[in-house]
Amino acid sequence: TPFRFLATAYVDIFRGVPLLLVAGLLNVAKGQDLAIQALRAPALRAAHLLVVGHGPWEVDLRALAQRAGVAQRVHFLGWRSDLARIYGAVDWLLLPSRWEAMPYVVLEALACGTPVVATPVDGAREILTAATCGVLSPSTDLDALSSTLDNALRLPESTRLAYGRAGQRLVAEEYSVDRMLDRLQALYSQILQVAA
């Protein structure tokens, strides 16, 4: 079962329902509050959200889930060392960030074949427009994110799986350690040429 990382009680809950994941430090920049509120949209009422990470905002996020009436569909898993297995069990990684530099969680998910729904923040915008491996919200606004999620969940399973495969190819071709070292070496060479 893909849910081996979870308590047995969760397995039946998650079988056959859309399963979303947000992963990262729990703080305002990462936008987990937007992900929780998005679950109130009528089209997302069947979806469950896994929240992986820890941080000072956890108490507030739990309270928000209660107030929004979605607490039974928001599952706080804390910090996890087995994130690769979790990526393999969910339908979509959700990156609801308000701002980012380079969201490595997107690359991690894509490497595992998990497609991404993201706000148009730095890094995610470039990654998701380089290959058809996810869906980009037009803004960080809650309504835009909810609508984007709705559209993503309506995509055929074959499309979602194709996005996952495209993401794996993108990471292998453009974001491998060797590729990044080659680019870093080329950058240093350019700097040395300018300085000479």
Side-chain angles (χ1 to χ4, degrees):
T1 173
F3 302 116
R4 286 174 300 183
F5 63 92
L6 293 171
T8 305
Y10 279 122
V11 174
D12 288 333
I13 293 172
F14 293 156
R15 188 173 285 121
V17 302
L19 193 55
L20 309 171
L21 166 69
V22 292
L25 185 64
L26 306 183
N27 65 27
V28 68
K30 299 297 184 184
Q32 291 97 348
D33 60 313
L34 297 174
I36 290 169
Q37 292 178 81
L39 293 182
R40 294 185 303 180
L44 301 176
R45 286 195 178 138
H48 283 248
L49 176 68
L50 303 183
V51 181
V52 170
H54 58 82
W57 220 22
E58 182 173 346
V59 172
D60 294 328
L61 292 172
R62 286 180 179 273
L64 174 62
Q66 288 288 346
R67 288 194 310 274
V70 298
Q72 72 280 7
R73 295 188 288 123
V74 179
H75 311 277
F76 290 87
L77 304 184
W79 181 87
R80 299 295 295 241
S81 61
D82 57 347
L83 200 49
R85 288 200 300 173
I86 298 175
Y87 289 134
V90 302
D91 297 304
W92 296 89
L93 172 76
L94 174 56
L95 185 85
S97 297
R98 291 181 169 91
W99 61 87
E100 287 280 356
M102 169 51 90
Y104 288 108
V105 68
V106 170
L107 294 176
E108 291 172 3
L110 294 177
C112 293
T114 304
V116 176
V117 174
T119 52
V121 291
D122 290 341
R125 184 176 54 245
E126 290 76 15
I127 293 167
L128 294 186
T129 54
T132 306
C133 53
V135 184
L136 199 62
S137 174
S139 74
T140 59
D141 173 78
L142 175 60
D143 289 339
L145 181 62
S146 298
S147 176
T148 302
L149 266 174
D150 178 21
N151 292 336
L153 293 182
R154 291 175 188 272
L155 290 171
E157 178 75 359
S158 59
T159 301
R160 187 182 67 78
L161 294 174
Y163 283 1
R165 290 190 296 271
Q168 286 179 310
R169 285 193 301 273
L170 176 70
V171 171
E173 293 169 6
E174 299 297 329
Y175 295 97
S176 68
V177 172
D178 288 342
R179 183 77 168 127
M180 289 192 287
L181 287 175
D182 288 345
R183 288 176 175 167
L184 187 59
Q185 185 176 16
L187 176 63
Y188 283 156
S189 295
Q190 289 175 351
I191 292 170
L192 289 173
Q193 288 175 358
V194 171

